[in-house]
Amino acid sequence: MEMIERNPASGIYPANPDYIHALEVRHPTRLLFVSGTMGLDQEGMAGVDLDGQLELIWSNLRTILASADMTVENIVRLTSYLRDGAFVEANQNARLRALGGRALPTTAIIVETLSDDWLVEIEIVAAG
């Protein structure tokens, strides 16, 4: 499988170090579509704060990926659902840490979550 960043040099606003316009994935043999994943522990309890929930989300995502013999390196698309716009920077920093600085197509959306104690939810697409 080959991944190629697609960032046109003209005709569109520039990408930045942690954002790319598109990622072309050539010759994947399988795709994994992961539901929105919350910062819940094994008992279904939400982390006490935003940082705790982000840690749990990335731990949960790594567990789901591992069940498909994949890692965060296989993620090709990510959407974050944030309860508050003030969470953008913490979410971005957690994503950059989890992905080792690798940029990929991302979108962040401000939403009302299904439960008041759910602060962020992340869904991904992975390719292998």
Side-chain angles (χ1 to χ4, degrees):
M1 181 178 77
E2 182 181 8
M3 293 188 212
I4 303 166
E5 291 184 13
R6 296 296 182 187
N7 289 311
S10 63
I12 191 169
Y13 55 90
N16 58 43
D18 74 323
Y19 170 86
I20 60 175
H21 290 295
L23 182 67
E24 181 179 346
V25 181
R26 292 184 178 179
H27 312 294
T29 58
R30 58 203 178 103
L31 297 172
L32 179 69
F33 296 86
V34 179
S35 296
T37 302
M38 284 87 59
L40 307 179
D41 65 18
Q42 291 184 27
E43 287 75 41
M45 299 299 295
V48 296
D49 60 13
L50 179 61
D51 289 335
Q53 288 190 28
L54 286 166
E55 284 183 34
L56 284 166
I57 286 171
W58 283 102
S59 175
N60 292 339
L61 289 172
R62 283 190 287 274
T63 298
I64 294 165
L65 288 163
S67 75
D69 294 320
M70 293 184 177
T71 71
V72 295
E73 291 298 315
N74 294 94
I75 298 173
V76 296
R77 177 79 175 110
L78 183 147
T79 304
S80 298
Y81 301 92
L82 309 172
R83 187 161 183 79
D84 190 309
F87 300 164
V88 169
E89 186 175 356
N91 181 62
Q92 174 185 345
N93 292 340
R95 174 176 42 82
L96 290 172
R97 278 192 307 276
L99 298 177
R102 184 170 65 95
L104 54 96
T106 65
T107 301
I109 302 169
I110 309 304
V111 299
E112 181 179 344
T113 54
L114 297 175
S115 177
D116 288 343
D117 58 347
W118 297 352
L119 303 177
V120 60
E121 184 175 337
I122 296 177
E123 70 179 11
I124 60 170
V125 176

